Amino acid sequence: MTDLLSGELLADIRERAADYDRDNAFFAEDLADLQASGYLGAMVPTAFGGGGLTLHETAHEQARLAAHAPATALAVNMHHVWVGVGRYLHERGDSSLDWLLREAASGEVFGFGYSEPGNDLVLLGSRTEARPDGSGGYTFHGRKIFTSNSPAWTRLGVLGLEKAGGLRHGRNGAPRLVHAFVTRDGGGFEILDDWDTLGMRASQSRSTLLDGAHAPADRVLRLLPPGPSLDPYVLGIFTSFEVLLSSVYAGIADRALELAVEAVNRRTSMKTGKTYAQDPDVRRRIADMALAQDSVWLQIDGITRDIDASAADPTLDRGAGWFRATAGLKVRVTETAREVVDQAVRVSGGSTYFNGSELGRLYRDVLAGIFHPSSDDAAHSTVAQSLLGPLD
């Protein structure tokens, strides 16, 4: 692991983060360095030429990267999510994404094209139309948002809805959700230059207009009915996405705590003549931050270890319970991270309000956590359903 994200590499990445943020620029140099280090293949099994990291190990590495450059980590995260899905399936005897593991090891960059404006169903539905090409493939037509890695992805995972009425292969005409991959060199899409945001600026998660982007039959991974599904592909997406996303925000909070400790040891009170590290109120705030982070990592570690081990030990497989576990993890981690960064700003003083402050940048970056699925409302709905059953 240390060979993939060396201290020197991380230091270079941290040094560039402020410039990317100020210029609203893509993290091109970071990506080139991460590719050269082999980090994009970190979670690819060694049999496919990758680093062989587990989900648990990758979560910790993503947190380290996020502590140095949150936007870089967030964008790279979407690539790792797809590798995580491929690994999840492979370890459970499903080879349908083995091609993705090979391509990730060879240098392809994967993007996540699922989010849509006004679609709170996320994996359960789509506003994008998937049109059959007559040969088992599909073209996609619709708008995707928050497409991280927009300037650099070479493979884009997409979701669309095949409308009701078709009878191909003897189907009954019911609508189906189509999960597939399109390529950058295949065309049929437009990437808008519309990413000018409060935070996570270097991720350049631009909107993508799909207008005929084509996935051939061998890149159509699942045809599923709209609504909840326990298909391993869906479980792989959900668990990998929520866990790795959580690790990014945990890394932001780790860095905020570190900066806060440095600040209170550096700042001196004119009233007492002592550093703020000797102020009882400040000490309590620092302790609260640390207690919260300790809890976060216990949760991330417990869930990632269970997911990793469940491939070989079915007694650890929670089935539908993974939705509750990982959606809840994402909400708890992102909310805790926001609170930790807020407390760090409070104890570090007014200098954090200036644009040149790293903590000020973390304060903006951490807010993005509330917009990723699962939302707070969706997570509560998932938990309520697990306890009370579905609504009538």
Side-chain angles (χ1 to χ4, degrees):
M1 288 190 290
T2 54
D3 290 336
L4 298 181
L5 287 180
S6 67
E8 182 180 0
L9 172 58
L10 289 173
D12 289 343
I13 286 174
R14 175 172 287 162
E15 186 175 350
R16 291 189 286 254
D19 291 340
Y20 288 142
D21 178 75
R22 183 196 63 233
D23 299 338
N24 193 32
F26 183 61
F27 64 103
E29 295 91 344
D30 289 359
L31 182 61
D33 285 351
L34 291 167
Q35 284 181 306
S37 74
Y39 187 60
L40 296 191
M43 204 166 23
V44 175
T46 54
F48 292 92
L53 270 62
T54 63
L55 181 64
H56 171 74
E57 292 169 330
T58 306
H60 277 264
E61 291 302 279
Q62 276 296 93
R64 290 180 65 219
L65 181 57
H68 289 77
T72 293
L74 180 66
V76 169
N77 208 64
M78 301 311 166
H79 169 89
H80 281 314
V81 166
W82 279 124
V83 179
V85 179
R87 184 188 180 104
Y88 182 93
L89 294 177
H90 178 77
E91 290 178 337
R92 288 157 180 80
D94 183 336
S95 61
S96 59
L97 276 183
D98 283 2
W99 64 268
L100 186 151
L101 298 174
R102 295 188 186 92
E103 291 194 356
S106 69
E108 301 294 348
V109 180
F110 288 83
F112 209 87
Y114 274 52
S115 296
E116 298 168 337
N119 178 9
D120 56 358
L121 292 172
V122 194
L123 288 174
L124 310 184
S126 179
R127 292 178 179 271
T128 297
E129 183 181 356
R131 301 175 187 170
D133 66 2
S135 301
Y138 287 83
T139 60
F140 292 84
H141 307 261
R143 184 188 186 102
K144 301 296 184 179
I145 58 174
F146 296 116
T147 316
S148 299
N149 278 332
S150 283
W153 61 259
T154 60
R155 307 285 187 266
L156 184 67
V158 294
L159 174 67
L161 182 68
E162 182 185 15
K163 294 183 177 179
L167 293 174
R168 188 167 56 91
H169 303 311
R171 293 186 293 108
N172 62 5
R176 298 191 296 184
L177 289 172
V178 182
H179 298 260
F181 281 84
V182 301
T183 62
R184 196 176 196 94
D185 58 12
F189 64 89
E190 178 186 0
I191 296 174
L192 304 183
D193 187 9
D194 61 352
W195 190 251
D196 188 6
T197 51
L198 184 67
M200 294 294 188
R201 290 162 65 81
S203 72
Q204 289 302 301
S205 305
R206 303 172 184 177
S207 299
T208 304
L209 303 182
L210 301 174
D211 187 20
H214 181 246
D218 63 352
R219 289 296 183 264
V220 176
L221 278 301
R222 290 295 191 275
L223 300 171
L224 300 172
S229 173
L230 288 178
D231 187 285
Y233 183 83
V234 174
L235 278 170
I237 292 176
F238 201 94
T239 55
S240 297
F241 187 95
E242 302 286 60
V243 165
L244 291 175
L245 185 74
S246 296
S247 71
V248 168
Y249 287 90
I252 294 174
D254 283 346
R255 177 58 175 168
L257 176 57
E258 183 178 88
L259 290 171
V261 170
E262 291 176 2
V264 301
N265 277 294
R266 183 177 63 247
R267 299 176 66 216
T268 301
S269 168
M270 287 188 64
K271 182 166 58 177
T272 66
K274 299 178 180 179
T275 66
Y276 279 91
Q278 298 300 309
D279 184 305
D281 293 330
V282 170
R283 293 173 70 86
R284 183 173 183 84
R285 286 185 186 273
I286 293 288
D288 278 344
M289 295 161 63
L291 287 168
Q293 281 302 99
D294 289 347
S295 173
V296 157
W297 279 110
L298 286 171
Q299 294 173 64
I300 293 174
D301 286 346
I303 288 178
T304 55
R305 285 181 174 132
D306 278 359
I307 293 173
D308 284 331
S310 65
D313 184 356
T315 65
L316 295 174
D317 190 349
R318 306 186 194 184
W322 285 125
F323 294 116
R324 171 179 171 178
T326 56
L329 176 72
K330 180 268 173 183
V331 169
R332 290 190 299 273
V333 172
T334 54
E335 291 298 319
T336 298
R338 286 203 303 133
E339 179 63 20
V340 168
V341 176
D342 182 80
Q343 294 295 332
V345 167
R346 289 174 186 270
V347 302
S348 298
S351 64
T352 61
Y353 199 62
F354 285 80
N355 279 331
S357 164
E358 183 180 355
L359 257 178
R361 174 161 47 83
L362 297 184
Y363 190 81
R364 292 184 285 106
D365 285 344
V366 79
L367 291 177
I370 66 176
F371 299 109
H372 303 295
S374 295
S375 68
D376 181 66
D377 288 344
H380 278 79
S381 176
T382 297
V383 174
Q385 180 163 317
S386 73
L387 294 169
L388 303 171
L391 288 167
D392 294 334

